Each structure stands twice: as structure tokens, then as C-alpha cells.
Amino acid sequence: MNWRIGWVPFSALLVAQAAQAQSVGYEETLAAARAEQPMLEAGALRVQARRDAADAADELPDPRVRAGVMNLPVTGPAAFNPYAQLPTQLAVGIEQEIPNLARRRARYGLAGSEIGIAEARLGLSERSILAEAGTAWIGLYYAQQRLALARDSLDSLRDFVPVAVSAVASGSARPADSLAIRRELLEIEDAITRIEAARAAARARLQRYIAGSEPVAAGGAPQVTMDPEELRFALEANPELRLADAEQRRAEAAADLARAEKRPDFGVSVTYGHRNPDFGSVISVMGSVTLPIFTDRRQNPRIAAAEADAAAASAERVDRLRAIRARFETDLAEWRSALQQWERARDQLLPLARDRADLETASFAAGRADLVEVIAAKSALALLELEILEREQMAVEAAATLRLTYGEDRP
């Protein structure tokens, strides 16, 4: 059989897989998450729509055209004759309503608050997307690190299998020892299976925000440290709080609009009347004004309701600020806990596990320990190293989430 026949499609497959894989760094992921995202595009369109609507918020209403027959007789000798009597005329006119200035300003303020709400919601969507994309990249990055470590550890442990077989054959080890070695290998293989599933899940989450079917996390992980005081100072600029401010301004503008109903609106109209030439044509100019009477039953209840809504929006803003601060302190505590657990495992548990593996290996070389004990020590060391990477991932994810959610971490 010619080996080149099978090699051509296999090499083509490798090239195709390499073409599909895309290396992407953390900052690149954040930049890609901000570009060409349907949710952000929808939010930007809503902001533009609110701005377009605000341009016409304080404009006068459309004028009205009036036309018809006035004072047409329907009985007597001149019935239905538009030119038989003096008052009868064919009239056409135009009238314009003029809302009071306070009403127009309140409408403009209401439209401006809608812009602020749309912008704040866009900011919330952006931060949510950045946090999700960042944690997805971190998950993929550490899954790759753990997978490489687990495979290296498995290959290292497999090197002991021939030694164990020889020991059993020579009678220096019990047959059950080979089963114990196999059990240690299975634990590492199970860990590899879990890591591969975590890598696939992180890759699927990351593909939502970046192009490419096989993203590969490249470069270094984001910093695990931060300045809590700087983040705490930035809480007042949080998009969630800006949304509460915009909603409060909308409620206040609605209250201003309700109060403006107590002020009179105006109107003006001009009418041209065509009559019998013997009588001559006429022009009428009229003005009108609304009469806000019976305010206790009309305007005042609406004003009270709008002011209550404004007070509720103010209270909700205070509550939302408290919720943001409480959530921030909770996330900060979780980050500190994850950081301390990772540092403790790295600085204290890992040296102990390495010393144990070295001592068991030296004892085995001196004939004072069994091979099973060496394998168990090395397997425990490999599993601990995987756990330390998991703890590091938790600390880095917590730090990145804090920066992206409460700070100004922007690519």
C-alpha cells in the first residue's frame, strides 16, 4: 500500500483545522466583544431613535385646515342656495394650537430623559457583554493550561507502568500494585475528561463574541490584583445607577408635564369666507385659550400621581445604590477569598506535595518504599497542581469581573 494515498487527505485535514483555529488574547477578546455585537447595535439604534424623537419634542402641533359652508339656509325660499343670503359663505381656514411654554419644556425634558435611559441601558449591555466575554476567555485559557498539565502528568505516570510490570514479574511487587497504579492513572484521565468538557464549554461561550470556529486563548491572563478603593470610588458612575438617575429624571419631567396642565394653552385661527359678490368676501381671525378650571378633579389628581411616581423613582435610586454597594462588597469578598485560597495552595500546599513526591522517589530508589507509594505521591501532586490552576482561575475571574462590572476596564 502506498502511504501517500492516506497522507494527502490527512494533511489536508490538519491544514483545515489549523485554518479554523484562531489565537486571540484577552484584550483582543474585549475589543471584539464591543464590535459588531447585535445587542450593542440594537442599543445604539434605540439611542439614535430617542435622539431623533427628542428633536421634535418641543415643536408646535401640526396646524389644522378647516373648510365648509357656514350659515347655509335649509328652509324658506333661499333653502340650499349659498349665494341668496348675506351670512352664507363658503369658508376655508387654518388654525394653530400653541401649548404653553412649560408644557413644551416638560415634553423636551421627558424626551431627554428617554435618551438617558437608552444610553444607560446600552452601557449595562456593554458591561454585561464584556464581563461574559472576559470570563469565557479566562475559562478557555485555564482549561488549556490544565489540559496541558494533566496530559504531561499522565505521560509521566505512564512511564512507571513498565517498571511496575517488571516488578510484579520479578516478584518484588504484588500483582495488586499494578491495579493501584491503574487507578491513579484513571483519576488523571477523568480529570482530563472534565477539563476537555470545560474547554469546549468556554470555547462555545467565547464564539458568541468573536469570529472563528476554534478560538484558542493566547497570551497571558489578566491581572489578579486590583485597587478596591478605586473601584469603590467608581460606583457612582455605574451604568445601573445612571439608569436609575435617568428614570428619576423621566419621572420628574412627567411631574412637570402634569403641572403644566394647570397653565392655559392658546390657539389662533384665520378663516376666509367666500360669499355672494353683492355681499363681498370676509376674513375672520380668532384666538382661543383653554380654561383649567375644576383643577381639584382634573389636573391636581394627575399632578399628585406624577409627584408620587417621582418620589418613588428617587427612593428606587437610593435602593439601587445600596444594592450596587452590597453586591460590590460581596464580589470583593469572594475575590479576596479566592485569592487567599490560591496563594495558600501555591505557597504552602504545593511545596509540601513536591517534597512528598521527592521523598517517596528517593525512598523507592533506596529500596525503602514501594512503587505504589511513589505513584500515589506523584498523582496527588498532579491533582493538586490542577486544583491550584482552578483556584487561580477563580481568583482571576473574580478580579476581571470586578473590573469590568464596577470599574473602567476598557480595551
Side-chain angles (χ1 to χ4, degrees):
M1 177 180 177
N2 189 346
W3 58 272
R4 293 183 179 85
I5 298 177
W7 174 255
V8 173
F10 179 70
S11 61
L13 178 61
L14 291 179
V15 172
Q17 291 178 345
Q20 291 178 352
Q22 176 187 3
S23 297
V24 59
Y26 177 73
E27 297 296 335
E28 295 177 66
T29 298
L30 296 184
R34 296 184 67 189
E36 298 182 0
Q37 295 298 323
M39 184 179 296
L40 298 184
E41 182 180 358
L45 290 173
R46 290 191 180 95
V47 171
Q48 186 60 45
R50 301 301 183 272
R51 288 175 178 169
D52 292 340
D55 292 339
D58 61 343
E59 295 294 325
L60 294 176
D62 292 333
R64 293 182 180 178
V65 175
R66 301 172 58 187
V69 180
M70 300 178 63
N71 302 316
L72 178 66
V74 295
T75 60
F80 300 104
N81 185 351
Y83 299 105
Q85 291 186 355
L86 174 64
T88 305
Q89 56 185 280
L90 300 177
V92 59
I94 185 171
E95 61 182 21
Q96 174 68 61
E97 295 180 2
I98 306 176
N100 65 73
L101 185 59
R103 184 191 298 271
R104 294 173 61 187
R105 287 178 176 175
R107 287 176 179 174
Y108 187 76
L110 194 61
S113 66
E114 293 292 343
I115 297 175
I117 290 175
E119 290 176 340
R121 287 174 177 170
L122 177 59
L124 281 174
S125 299
E126 180 181 350
R127 289 212 170 187
S128 176
I129 288 175
L130 288 177
E132 292 173 3
T135 54
W137 186 94
I138 293 171
L140 178 59
Y141 174 82
Y142 280 98
Q144 293 172 178
Q145 300 295 318
R146 295 200 310 273
L147 188 59
L149 175 61
R151 287 173 175 171
D152 290 343
S153 300
L154 184 61
D155 292 339
S156 177
L157 290 176
R158 282 174 175 168
D159 293 338
F160 287 92
V161 174
V163 180
V165 173
S166 299
V168 172
S170 63
S172 59
R174 296 176 299 171
D177 291 344
S178 61
L179 299 179
I181 294 173
R182 179 57 182 162
R183 183 186 63 190
E184 300 294 343
L185 294 177
L186 287 175
E187 289 188 11
I188 303 297
E189 291 175 353
D190 286 343
I192 290 176
T193 300
R194 292 192 296 270
I195 295 171
E196 288 176 341
R199 182 184 62 174
R203 181 171 288 166
R205 294 197 306 271
L206 190 58
Q207 286 173 345
R208 176 184 176 185
Y209 305 106
I210 65 173
S213 58
E214 294 293 334
V216 176
Q223 293 184 355
V224 72
T225 57
M226 71 183 68
D227 185 358
E229 292 304 320
E230 181 179 352
L231 295 180
R232 188 176 286 108
F233 179 77
L235 290 180
E236 291 289 342
N238 191 281
E240 189 172 349
L241 196 59
R242 290 203 297 266
L243 176 60
D245 291 336
E247 291 175 344
Q248 182 177 353
R249 287 193 296 270
R250 180 176 62 181
E252 292 172 352
D256 292 338
L257 184 60
R259 297 188 195 99
E261 292 182 0
K262 297 183 72 172
R263 297 187 179 186
D265 296 327
F266 304 93
V268 61
S269 64
V270 178
T271 304
Y272 169 78
H274 177 70
R275 301 188 299 184
N276 187 318
D278 294 337
F279 304 131
S281 298
V282 295
I283 292 179
S284 300
V285 179
M286 300 290 293
S288 64
V289 60
T290 60
L291 300 176
I293 57 178
F294 306 112
T295 56
D296 289 341
R297 290 183 295 174
R298 295 175 181 173
Q299 286 83 7
N300 288 346
R302 288 194 289 267
I303 293 174
E307 289 177 344
D309 287 338
S314 178
E316 289 175 354
R317 197 265 186 194
V318 174
D319 181 75
R320 193 168 299 184
L321 177 59
R322 292 180 180 179
I324 291 173
R325 288 175 176 171
R327 191 165 61 246
F328 169 73
E329 296 298 336
T330 300
D331 294 342
L332 188 63
E334 292 179 355
W335 165 73
R336 286 171 175 162
S337 176
L339 180 62
Q340 292 173 1
Q341 292 182 56
W342 168 57
E343 291 176 341
R344 187 180 300 113
R346 180 196 61 187
D347 299 336
Q348 300 181 30
L349 295 179
L350 183 59
L352 293 176
R354 286 175 176 171
D355 290 343
R356 178 195 172 194
D358 293 340
L359 291 174
E360 293 292 352
T361 302
S363 298
F364 175 74
R368 295 194 300 270
D370 295 333
L371 182 60
V372 174
E373 296 173 347
V374 177
I375 298 296
K378 289 187 174 295
S379 176
L381 175 60
L383 293 176
L384 178 60
E385 289 175 337
L386 293 176
E387 180 183 350
I388 290 174
L389 279 177
E390 290 180 359
R391 294 188 182 189
E392 181 181 355
Q393 175 185 345
M394 293 177 62
V396 172
E397 283 184 353
T401 300
L402 279 168
R403 287 193 296 267
L404 293 172
T405 303
Y406 303 102
E408 294 296 335
D409 195 351
R410 292 290 188 271

